[in-house]
Amino acid sequence: MGAAFPIEALAPIEPRTDREHFSISDLCAEFGVTARALRFYEDEGLIGPERRGTARIYSHRDRARLAWILRGKRVGFSLGEIREMIDLYDVGDGRRVQRQVTLERCLDRINLLENQKRDIDAHIEELNQFVDLLKSGD
């Protein structure tokens, strides 16, 4: 599958120049995920390990894509959104489109979360007022 994913990728991970490939247990240990999760991401077409018999052999590219997947999930992106963003790496434009799409998605997500935060703060304030009203009725 080719060269290692550049360290300046949008979900940076430490480069692993000590090896060419990774086993499923290597990636599970490094990223704190289960083998089942890795197989799920493979079934979803997000990573594509080489098969040697029943063993899965993961490339540096798979490792970098896994970092992207996990970061995207942590910040609330759907697997479809993550797939779109990581697949844009292969467009061949120096990741310009990937960066732009990811930036737009991140800004949209920040806006959504800020709005949710305002709503939550308003609900908390209203509940506090209601609690105060209930307490004053004693």
Side-chain angles (χ1 to χ4, degrees):
M1 288 273 270
F5 206 77
I7 189 60
E8 66 275 3
L10 297 178
I13 54 175
E14 290 296 318
R16 293 290 306 267
T17 58
D18 60 322
R19 56 181 43 197
E20 290 291 317
H21 303 289
F22 306 90
S23 69
I24 197 166
S25 54
D26 292 335
L27 294 184
C28 288
E30 180 177 358
F31 291 99
V33 296
T34 64
R36 183 177 179 190
L38 289 178
R39 289 189 297 270
F40 174 75
Y41 298 141
E42 180 183 355
D43 290 345
E44 291 294 311
L46 295 167
I47 55 177
E50 179 184 331
R51 298 304 277 280
R52 292 187 190 155
T54 58
R56 289 171 169 84
I57 308 299
Y58 296 89
S59 66
H60 286 275
R61 184 174 192 267
D62 292 319
R63 182 174 171 263
R65 288 175 73 97
L66 180 58
W68 253 96
I69 293 163
L70 297 175
R71 173 172 265 178
K73 284 182 44 116
R74 277 193 310 273
V75 299
F77 290 120
S78 70
L79 287 182
E81 291 169 319
I82 293 167
R83 177 183 295 106
E84 177 189 4
M85 290 182 283
I86 60 177
D87 285 350
L88 288 171
Y89 178 81
D90 296 327
V91 168
D93 67 348
R95 293 193 347 266
R96 187 186 58 75
V97 171
Q98 184 188 42
R99 286 179 185 272
Q100 186 59 42
V101 167
T102 302
L103 175 63
E104 289 169 7
R105 290 283 169 94
C106 288
L107 291 172
D108 288 347
R109 186 82 186 141
I110 289 167
N111 187 48
L112 173 69
L113 291 170
E114 292 284 351
N115 288 336
Q116 289 175 340
K117 182 179 172 185
R118 278 190 294 280
D119 289 345
I120 289 169
D121 289 342
H123 290 305
I124 290 170
E125 179 58 32
E126 187 168 347
L127 282 167
N128 281 327
Q129 290 172 6
F130 192 37
V131 165
D132 291 344
L133 180 64
L134 291 169
K135 284 180 177 179
S136 69
D138 284 342

